[in-house]
Amino acid sequence: MGMTMAEKILAHGAGLKEVSPGQLVKVKTDVVLGNDVTAPVAIREFEKLGVKDVFDKERIMLVPDHFVPAKDIKSATLSKVMRDFAHEKGIKHYFEIGEMGIEHVILPEKGLVLPGDIVIGADSHTCTYGALGAFATGVGSTDMAAAMATGETWFKVPESIKFHYHGKLNPYVGGKDLILHTIGKIGVAGARYQAMEFMGETISQLSMDHRFTISNMAIDAGAKVGLIEPDETTLRYVRERAKRPYQIFRSDKDVRYIAEYDFDVSKIEPTVAFPHLPENTHPISEVGEIAIDQVVIGSCTNGRIEDLRAAAAVFKGNKVNSNVRVVLFPGSQDVYLQAVREGLVEIFIKSGVAVSTPTCGSCLGGHMGVLAKGEKAVSTTNRNFVGRMGHPESEVYLANPYVAAASAIKGRIASPEEVVKPEEVA
Amino acid sequence: MKFEGKIWKFGNDIDTDVIIPARYLNTTSHEELAQHCMEDVDPSFAQKVSKGDMLVAGKNFGSGSSREHAPVSIKAVGVSCVIAESFARIFYRNAINIGLPILESPEAARDAEEGDIFEVDADSGVIHNVTKAKSYQAAPFPAFIQEIIHAGGLIPYVKERIANA
């Protein structure tokens, strides 16, 4: 029997001919990542090891993104710990705010994560890079610390689940709806410990931005990784960015998946996840009347240029409802600049949207749009847990950028078709 | 390692955002994190928990964010171990890495009621519910993970390996 992508990448990283699910393997890490919340803890643990240098100055990525620009003295101190460490150890890929962005947007954008890589990141949404065909997964700060010293980590080889998508996408439906619909089907622990492998004609036709959105939320089904086999779209994206060699791994034809799901995407509508779990999904036509106070557009899930274009297509010529605050976070400085060049930022500002510098910001209730008691938000982010965006009695509804923008205009959770014709967003 | 203590019971899908809300992630101080442990699921938890008490929870405990601050806050508030029907994978790794004992036992977790007294032998995986006079065997750890646990966590484990290399 053949091997899955996940097994092949781990076998390669472990220097073994083959591996099988359940096996514990020690692998080399191609990229080790941390942010301003997790890296300071990792640095403290790293220092306990008594090692002078990191394993490779070019393979450690330190990205201040959660609480930057610093929201208070404590977070300024955390960023300083990371900045000082980066300078002292000569870490090449440290991103000060002028060139920064949200970690999972900038690493692919700058060609720092490539197909076939093994990536551990002290951030759960590290699984985003599965869209490039990389075995990328979230870990805690101590795992990050050990890998910064040794360039190695350990994994239990996961079983793989196949997610196949076919059919034509409906208007206003994209990667966010496919992954929310999938999590709605299998639950937030539906792929716990396992590798999700996304495939089929629908996935093949998706752009990288939509694919990143899908892989990004694999963790929100409990998965270790969310993989998409590299194809021409992937290679076009990677070729113009890669500064080092990379390797493509594909699942063999005769592999056995522990479960298989097939989705006819023509039946999937724009999808909204209700509080307080991403699995509480409803098609937009069944949402009902839910008045909102805030809309958040951006994040590692939906902060890329195509997400901003989608939002702008809805905002164009419309005004934000007077009962709603809208905060938009481009995922990186490059995305921001592109949005300026395309005139999107002007559309946003004329509509009454507040455009922020790139940051994780309000996604995790950090800053830049925290919710008060009883408030409701529609957000293009990835989690709607109790208290995720502020007060424990606030509520977050997860949706795609079209729905978020339409809701901002209507003052309630709204379908994009109420605001803009399908042919105007294509 | 053997523990005895009162248990606090929680439900399914207890995520790391409610274990330690992000508004407290601007610190790495164990004492400060302890003060806010479980705050968004039970605001008085940190005040009423006693040293040696245990957490017992349903499925998928520790889901969501990778923040190690979550197991750190549980350990720092004095909880001796966590027993759940199942754990989310990043939390599972983090707990082992920082030396917070965790055990997976769906039966023990389901039968338990808040306030029950538990005796736990983390080495053998035997969980005894003293109040209900019932014993359970938790799923054993793979040998490699046992080595990390016995070393006292990942950092002492790696430090030893670097010293011997």
Side-chain angles (χ1 to χ4, degrees), chain A residues 211-248:
Chain A
R211 295 182 189 189
F212 285 125
T213 304
I214 292 174
S215 292
N216 173 269
M217 287 191 70
I219 177 64
D220 298 298
K224 185 174 277 184
V225 291
L227 297 166
I228 299 174
E229 190 175 288
D231 61 6
E232 244 333 288
T233 303
T234 326
L235 294 176
R236 250 196 327 271
Y237 182 91
V238 167
R239 267 188 220 117
E240 58 187 48
R241 294 173 164 85
K243 292 169 201 75
R244 60 179 165 87
Y246 52 90
Q247 205 171 340
I248 308 292

Side-chain angles (χ1 to χ4, degrees), chain A residues 294-404:
Chain A
Q294 181 166 298
V295 167
V296 174
I297 298 171
S299 82
C300 61
T301 311
N302 282 123
R304 297 180 182 83
I305 191 66
E306 289 183 30
D307 300 311
L308 270 50
R309 285 179 191 142
V314 179
F315 279 122
K316 194 171 185 181
N318 290 302
K319 288 278 181 204
V320 167
N321 187 283
S322 57
N323 295 324
V324 179
R325 315 174 293 267
V326 186
V327 194
L328 185 143
F329 305 88
S332 69
Q333 290 284 72
D334 281 359
V335 171
Y336 203 159
L337 184 56
Q338 185 65 22
V340 170
R341 285 180 177 144
E342 294 183 17
L344 309 183
V345 172
E346 186 171 340
I347 293 171
F348 296 137
I349 293 173
K350 281 184 173 167
S351 298
V353 172
V355 182
S356 157
T357 54
T359 171
C360 301
S362 51
C363 169
L364 75 163
H367 61 151
M368 301 296 291
V370 176
L371 298 176
K373 182 177 177 176
E375 288 192 323
K376 292 182 169 68
V378 172
S379 179
T380 69
T381 54
N382 42 53
R383 286 183 181 142
N384 54 356
F385 301 151
V386 169
R388 172 71 178 184
M389 207 173 262
H391 195 281
E393 288 173 44
S394 60
E395 292 185 348
V396 178
Y397 294 77
L398 304 175
N400 76 31
Y402 291 120
V403 172

Side-chain angles (χ1 to χ4, degrees), chain A residues 169 173-180 206 209-211 213-214 302:
Chain A
L169 287 170
V173 171
K176 184 61 166 291
D177 306 288
L178 299 189
I179 190 64
L180 285 178
L206 289 179
D209 282 7
H210 284 276
R211 295 182 189 189
T213 304
I214 292 174
N302 282 123

Side-chain angles (χ1 to χ4, degrees), chain B residues 10-165:
Chain B
F10 292 91
N12 294 331
D13 300 314
I14 297 294
D15 61 77
T16 56
D17 272 88
V18 295
I19 297 173
I20 186 74
R23 57 187 177 274
Y24 305 119
L25 295 186
N26 57 1
T27 181
T28 59
S29 152
H30 290 195
E31 295 70 29
E32 274 183 70
L33 293 169
Q35 285 166 23
H36 303 291
C37 182
M38 308 303 281
E39 186 169 300
D40 278 3
V41 61
D42 180 353
S44 60
F45 180 76
Q47 280 74 54
K48 61 194 186 189
V49 69
S50 303
K51 195 170 163 47
D53 285 358
M54 304 176 192
L55 292 189
V56 177
K59 293 177 189 149
N60 202 28
F61 185 84
S63 53
S65 152
S66 69
R67 60 188 72 163
E68 206 162 280
H69 313 63
V72 164
S73 77
I74 293 172
K75 193 179 175 192
V77 83
V79 167
S80 60
C81 74
V82 185
I83 297 154
E85 287 186 45
S86 62
F87 291 93
R89 58 163 289 274
I90 304 177
F91 183 92
Y92 179 95
R93 265 182 104 106
N94 287 348
I96 288 163
N97 286 346
I98 67 156
L100 170 69
I102 54 169
L103 293 112
E104 204 168 85
S105 171
E107 299 79 18
R110 277 197 293 263
D111 291 349
E113 288 177 89
E114 185 140 305
D116 283 358
I117 303 296
F118 269 35
E119 280 174 7
V120 172
D121 183 334
D123 297 320
S124 68
V126 173
I127 301 165
H128 182 60
N129 184 330
V130 178
T131 310
K132 296 199 164 36
K134 208 169 163 189
S135 289
Y136 310 85
Q137 177 66 54
F141 289 108
F144 166 67
I145 293 177
Q146 279 180 28
E147 284 178 42
I148 297 176
I149 294 168
H150 285 141
L154 186 67
I155 294 300
Y157 174 82
V158 171
K159 193 172 180 180
E160 206 173 298
R161 282 181 56 244
I162 291 172
N164 295 337

Side-chain angles (χ1 to χ4, degrees), chain A residues 14-159:
Chain A
L16 298 171
K17 218 164 151 230
E18 54 183 37
V19 298
S20 54
Q23 187 177 345
L24 286 166
V25 290
K26 192 172 78 182
V27 296
K28 63 172 182 55
T29 47
D30 296 296
V31 173
V32 179
L33 162 72
N35 58 51
D36 51 318
V37 166
T38 59
V41 177
I43 290 163
R44 189 167 65 192
E45 297 303 312
F46 177 88
E47 280 163 359
K48 290 181 192 164
L49 288 170
V51 182
K52 196 169 154 280
D53 287 319
V54 297
F55 85 102
D56 187 335
K57 293 176 169 119
E58 297 192 9
R59 297 302 185 101
I60 292 167
M61 318 280 154
L62 297 177
V63 188
D65 60 2
H66 276 54
F67 297 150
V68 293
K71 70 172 179 128
D72 54 23
I73 294 168
K74 283 179 171 178
S75 58
T77 308
L78 291 181
S79 281
K80 188 171 188 311
V81 168
M82 186 158 86
R83 183 181 302 117
D84 290 349
F85 180 82
H87 291 161
E88 185 193 316
K89 303 296 181 197
I91 306 281
K92 187 174 173 194
H93 301 295
Y94 166 77
F95 299 95
E96 202 48 88
I97 59 169
E99 53 172 353
M100 67 81 111
I102 299 169
E103 50 198 322
H104 309 310
V105 177
I106 62 173
L107 263 52
E109 195 179 79
K110 295 183 186 298
L112 295 173
V113 173
L114 298 170
D117 280 356
I118 293 176
V119 184
I120 62 167
D123 188 276
S124 62
H125 289 104
T126 300
C127 55
T128 308
Y129 319 127
L132 292 167
F135 189 100
T137 192
V139 295
S141 298
T142 300
D143 270 317
M144 180 193 172
M148 282 202 296
T150 63
E152 291 173 354
T153 194
W154 65 271
F155 287 118
K156 185 162 85 176
V157 178
E159 290 161 319

